[in-house]
């Protein structure tokens, strides 16, 4: 039972990192990415490969995965951020689809549908993080660091420029800000933090396969921040908590047919997304001024 | 010979993609709603057709008509009860997109509960192939799908050029304020756009259910292809979207010549990237830059 709870808490921490990093671009920069699961996957594969062939130290795997993700993000941000906002959504969707194909077809590197198995235990400063307790502490620390860094970033001049661009790109450009450069950097930062989550995930479940990095996963991450509240610090974490506790809670409702549980869960997410968008687009702890959050 | 066969297959696939893409383009072009649930309409039509024709043994033409009708109703109901309330509060592009995605998730999983997650298809004698000379084969249904696509494009062009609703829809895509100024109701017009767009995706769903089969998650791919084709063709251009669909179908089929089939799915998106990189306004589009 304790193992079950720790396991759940580790997954919540990892999802919290994913949601917080995505919130950085959606909530503060107004850039909507549908490729977060692709970056999560790239980081998980990178982390697994580095761990299997080079070093199992988190201090090696995490920076490499972050760098790979940030570099890859340029592939979509450079072409699409030049154009209108909706092109980024489309380009990121395209990247998500291509990434899934690469994960499942580039068999020499990714192991195809079967994925990579036998990711070794992570180490940190020479300690093996073999127990769930130690791994949870590391995951929680990572989450805290990511939240702290993003919170700090948002309150620097860079963060203020981002919000200015989100609210009015032309006005920001008039004040001498370069929207394309600032947005590109923001996307690179966001995907780099997504890389942290990917590495933790690969070590935690000790295998990676394409199934974990589908479009659905991207939506899953997005629904966390939408339910919790975009542009807030704790909204994404609350969302991650709710989305992970919901399936655990559903299993207690014994009258539901077990076969359909996964589908029912998805239906609840989907319906929650629709209803929130209609009645409460700022999320559970979203900012009071709804228009301001979403207006572009 | 293989190449020629792939070309013929690509034309059939392209005809289906063109129908999906034009349906999406009619909706997106005139209402600016990023209708992700367009793929959901496809899944819904396909499964209803399967359910009636295969399980209830309804005559196929009646099943097809009822399924297409259900698709139209679905599109109009979504516009009326989901998109409109959001747009009333000046909802952004993304708010509508998320809601649309949510609808897709709900319907996809309802389909899983009722029909299971595995793939369904309808067997019909029409999928049998016939030799059109030189060892190139094509199914009757393949010929049908190309004829349907051509017929619907002609019909759509006539509709947009000659009827009041068509002219109003084109006006809506160019200047919604002016349409309001002329005393027309953009809300009402958007219902027409959703009806037409949903109707266009229906034949693609019906044919594909027989030819390739259907899974509850087929919708994602359908809408992604539609979006990609609309961008390749140029947003706001129906001809472009149709053409874009045809290009994607051909490319996906021809890719099999050099690549293994697993990779062919990514080809469409690689082409999309090239367009975003080199020509974001697409083949026939204007105004892509801010």
């Amino acid at each position: 039972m304790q193992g079950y709870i720790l396991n759940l808490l580790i997954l919540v921490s990892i999802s919290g990192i994913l949601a917080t990093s995505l919130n950085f671009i959606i909530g503060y920069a107004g850039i909507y990415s549908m490729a977060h699961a692709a970056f999560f996957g790239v980081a998980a594969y990178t982390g697994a490969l580095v761990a299997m062939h080079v070093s199992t130290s988190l201090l090696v795997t995490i920076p490499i995965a972050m760098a790979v993700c940030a570099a890859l993000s340029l592939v979509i941000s450079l072409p699409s951020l030049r154009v209108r906002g909706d092109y980024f959504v489309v380009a990121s969707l395209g990247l998500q689809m291509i990434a899934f194909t690469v994960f499942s077809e580039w068999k020499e590197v990714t192991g195809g549908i079967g994925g990579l198995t036998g990711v070794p235990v992570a180490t940190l400063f020479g300690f093996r993080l073999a127990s769930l307790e130690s791994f949870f502490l590391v995951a929680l620390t990572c989450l805290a660091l990511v939240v702290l860094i993003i919170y700090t970033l948002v309150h620097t001049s860079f963060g203020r420029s981002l919000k200015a661009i989100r609210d009015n790109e032309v006005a920001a450009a008039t004040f001498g800000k370069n929207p394309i450069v600032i947005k590109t950097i923001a996307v690179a930062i966001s995907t780099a933090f997504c890389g942290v989550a990917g590495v933790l995930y690969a070590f935690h479940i000790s295998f990676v396969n394409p199934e974990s990095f589908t479009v659905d996963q991207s939506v899953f991450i997005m629904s966390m921040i939408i339910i919790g509240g975009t542009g807030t610090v704790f909204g994404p974490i609350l969302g991650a908590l709710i989305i992970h506790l919901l399936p655990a809670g559903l299993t207690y409702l014994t009258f539901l047919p077990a076969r359909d549980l996964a589908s029912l869960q998805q239906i609840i997410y989907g319906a929650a997304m629709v209803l929130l968008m209609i009645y409460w687009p700022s999320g559970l702890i979203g900012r009071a001024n709804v228009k301001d959050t979403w207006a572009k | 010979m293989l190449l020629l066969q792939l070309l013929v297959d690509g034309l059939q696939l392209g005809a289906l993609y063109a129908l999906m893409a034009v349906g999406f383009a009619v909706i997106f072009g005139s209402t600016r709603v990023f209708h992700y649930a367009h793929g959901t309409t496809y899944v819904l039509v396909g499964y209803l057709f399967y359910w009636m024709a295969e399980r209830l043994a309804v005559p196929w033409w009646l099943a097809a008509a009822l399924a297409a009708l259900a698709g139209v109703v679905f599109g109009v109901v979504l516009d009326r009860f989901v998109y409109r309330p959001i747009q009333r509060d000046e909802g952004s592009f993304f708010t509508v997109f998320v809601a649309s995605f949510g609808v897709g998730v709900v319907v996809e999983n309802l389909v899983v509960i009722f029909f299971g997650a595995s793939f369904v298809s309808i067997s019909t004698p029409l999928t049998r192939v016939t030799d059109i000379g030189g060892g190139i084969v094509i199914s009757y249904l393949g010929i049908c799908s190309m004829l349907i696509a051509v017929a619907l494009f002609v019909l759509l062009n006539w509709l947009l050029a000659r009827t009041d609703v068509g002219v109003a829809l084109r006006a809506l895509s160019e200047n919604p304020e002016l349409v309001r100024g002329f005393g027309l109701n953009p809300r009402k017009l958007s219902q027409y756009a959703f009806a037409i767009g949903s109707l266009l995706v229906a034949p693609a769903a019906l044919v594909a259910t027989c030819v390739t089969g259907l899974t509850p998650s087929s919708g994602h791919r359908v809408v992604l292809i539609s979006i990609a084709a609309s961008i390749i063709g140029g947003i706001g251009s129906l001809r472009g979207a149709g053409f874009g669909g045809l290009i994607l179908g051909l490319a996906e089929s021809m890719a099999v010549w050099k690549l293994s089939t697993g990779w062919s799915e990514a080809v469409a998106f690689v082409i999309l990237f090239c367009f975003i990189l080199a020509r974001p306004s697409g083949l026939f589009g204007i105004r892509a830059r801010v």
Side-chain angles (χ1 to χ4, degrees):
Chain A
M1 189 61 199
Q2 203 198 356
Y4 174 76
I5 291 174
L6 277 172
N7 194 37
L8 200 63
L9 288 174
I10 293 173
L11 288 176
V12 170
S13 307
I14 293 174
S15 297
I17 298 175
L18 284 174
T20 304
S21 64
L22 183 63
N23 183 40
F24 180 60
I25 49 174
I26 290 192
Y28 298 106
I31 302 170
Y32 304 108
S33 169
M34 291 293 295
H36 229 53
F39 290 109
F40 181 46
V42 167
Y45 277 103
T46 311
L49 287 170
V50 172
M52 287 155 85
H53 301 294
V54 186
S55 161
T56 57
S57 169
L58 285 177
L59 297 177
V60 177
T61 45
I62 288 182
I64 293 180
M66 288 175 81
V68 170
C69 285
L72 183 67
S73 79
L74 299 180
V75 174
I76 51 169
S77 29
L78 287 181
S80 62
L81 287 178
R82 293 181 303 136
V83 210
R84 275 201 324 247
D86 32 359
Y87 274 71
F88 189 87
V89 184
V90 175
S92 62
L93 267 172
L95 180 81
Q96 173 66 53
M97 300 309 282
I98 294 174
F100 184 75
T101 311
V102 172
F103 294 153
S104 43
E105 296 297 324
W106 194 17
K107 300 190 175 68
E108 301 80 40
V109 174
T110 62
I113 300 286
L116 298 171
T117 49
V119 179
V121 174
T123 55
L124 186 64
F125 304 119
F127 294 107
R128 288 179 81 248
L129 303 172
S131 69
L132 279 176
E133 285 85 354
S134 60
F135 199 82
F136 170 59
L137 281 180
V138 170
L140 193 64
T141 313
C142 286
L143 173 64
L145 281 175
V146 169
V147 170
L148 192 69
I149 295 171
I150 286 182
Y151 180 80
T152 316
L153 264 177
V154 167
H155 292 86
T156 58
S157 71
F158 180 75
R160 285 192 297 276
S161 305
L162 267 186
K163 282 183 272 189
I165 292 168
R166 176 195 67 194
D167 294 337
N168 192 332
E169 190 160 330
V170 178
T174 317
F175 276 88
K177 307 290 179 198
N178 185 336
I180 297 174
V181 172
I182 292 175
K183 282 181 179 178
T184 306
I185 295 174
V187 173
I189 293 174
S190 162
T191 52
F193 284 131
C194 177
V196 177
V199 173
L200 291 175
Y201 184 75
F203 277 124
H204 176 55
I205 62 168
S206 83
F207 74 91
V208 278
N209 74 343
E211 282 305 303
S212 326
F213 313 113
T214 55
V215 181
D216 291 344
Q217 180 74 20
S218 274
V219 180
F220 190 64
I221 305 168
M222 189 173 288
S223 48
M224 291 176 200
I225 54 179
I226 286 163
I227 291 171
T230 52
T232 61
V233 177
F234 292 107
I237 300 170
L238 177 71
L241 200 62
I242 291 175
I243 279 208
H244 278 286
L245 293 186
L246 182 67
L250 278 184
T251 50
Y252 285 103
L253 301 176
T254 44
F255 59 87
L256 295 174
R259 187 174 60 90
D260 296 331
L261 269 187
S263 294
L264 281 172
Q265 196 187 314
Q266 295 277 340
I267 290 174
I268 295 175
Y269 297 151
M273 281 160 83
V274 179
L275 294 175
L276 278 172
M277 285 303 104
I278 297 178
Y279 298 108
W280 213 350
S282 57
L284 294 180
I285 50 173
R287 296 193 304 187
N289 192 343
V290 176
K291 301 266 171 61
D292 190 43
T293 315
W294 290 95
K296 264 211 75 188
Chain B
M1 216 67 295
L2 172 65
L3 195 60
L4 217 56
Q5 178 66 53
L6 290 175
L7 191 73
V8 171
D9 293 347
L11 281 175
Q12 300 173 52
L13 189 64
L16 295 184
Y17 283 180
L19 283 171
M20 302 166 186
V22 172
F24 181 80
V26 167
I27 294 172
F28 187 71
S30 48
T31 66
R32 294 286 139 180
V33 167
F34 204 85
H35 185 43
Y36 196 89
H38 190 57
T40 310
T41 312
Y42 173 95
V43 170
L44 203 67
V45 170
Y47 269 93
L48 283 175
F49 182 48
Y50 163 79
W51 178 60
M52 287 188 281
E54 197 81 0
R55 299 224 182 142
L56 303 185
V58 174
W60 71 269
W61 50 271
L62 186 61
L66 288 174
L69 184 67
V72 170
V73 171
F74 177 71
V76 172
V77 165
L78 263 192
D79 180 45
R80 177 71 186 78
F81 294 102
V82 177
Y83 300 148
R84 194 177 299 177
I86 295 174
Q87 286 173 324
R88 192 184 48 216
D89 301 328
E90 302 288 318
S92 75
F93 150 79
F94 193 70
T95 322
V96 176
F97 170 68
V98 171
S100 188
F101 208 108
V103 170
V105 172
V106 171
V107 174
E108 179 182 331
N109 286 286
L110 285 175
V111 170
V112 171
I113 290 179
F114 285 110
F115 295 99
S118 58
F119 146 113
V120 300
S121 80
I122 296 180
S123 53
T124 134
L126 289 176
T127 49
R128 233 181 286 138
V129 292
T130 170
D131 196 315
I132 53 168
I136 310 288
V137 295
I138 185 166
S139 69
Y140 290 111
L141 214 55
I143 300 173
C144 282
S145 64
M146 288 193 264
L147 290 178
I148 292 172
V150 172
L152 283 175
F153 288 137
V154 172
L155 194 66
L156 183 67
N157 264 317
W158 169 80
L159 187 83
L160 289 178
R162 306 280 163 187
T163 64
D164 287 348
V165 171
V167 174
L169 278 179
R170 282 191 296 144
L172 185 64
S173 75
E174 279 172 22
N175 193 334
E177 287 308 312
L178 205 57
V179 167
R180 209 171 280 125
F182 266 91
L184 292 168
N185 183 355
R187 299 269 183 236
K188 202 166 174 190
L189 284 174
S190 90
Q191 306 242 292
Y192 285 115
F194 273 89
I196 296 170
S198 305
L199 190 62
L200 283 169
V201 80
L206 299 175
V207 172
T209 309
C210 301
V211 179
T212 55
L214 195 65
T215 68
S217 56
S218 302
H220 292 293
R221 197 168 158 68
V222 169
V223 73
L224 289 172
I225 290 282
S226 304
I227 296 168
S230 307
I231 289 196
I232 289 173
I235 290 195
S237 161
L238 295 184
R239 190 166 23 127
F243 205 63
L246 197 61
I247 292 178
L248 291 181
L250 279 171
E252 198 176 312
S253 172
M254 304 294 260
V256 179
W257 192 37
K258 289 282 180 208
L259 296 168
S260 75
T261 43
W263 288 99
S264 70
E265 295 222 330
V267 168
F269 301 103
V270 174
I271 296 177
L272 171 66
F273 262 94
C274 298
F275 266 89
I276 292 181
L277 195 63
R279 197 177 159 84
S281 56
L283 292 171
F284 300 96
I286 38 165
R287 298 184 301 190
R289 282 172 189 273
V290 199

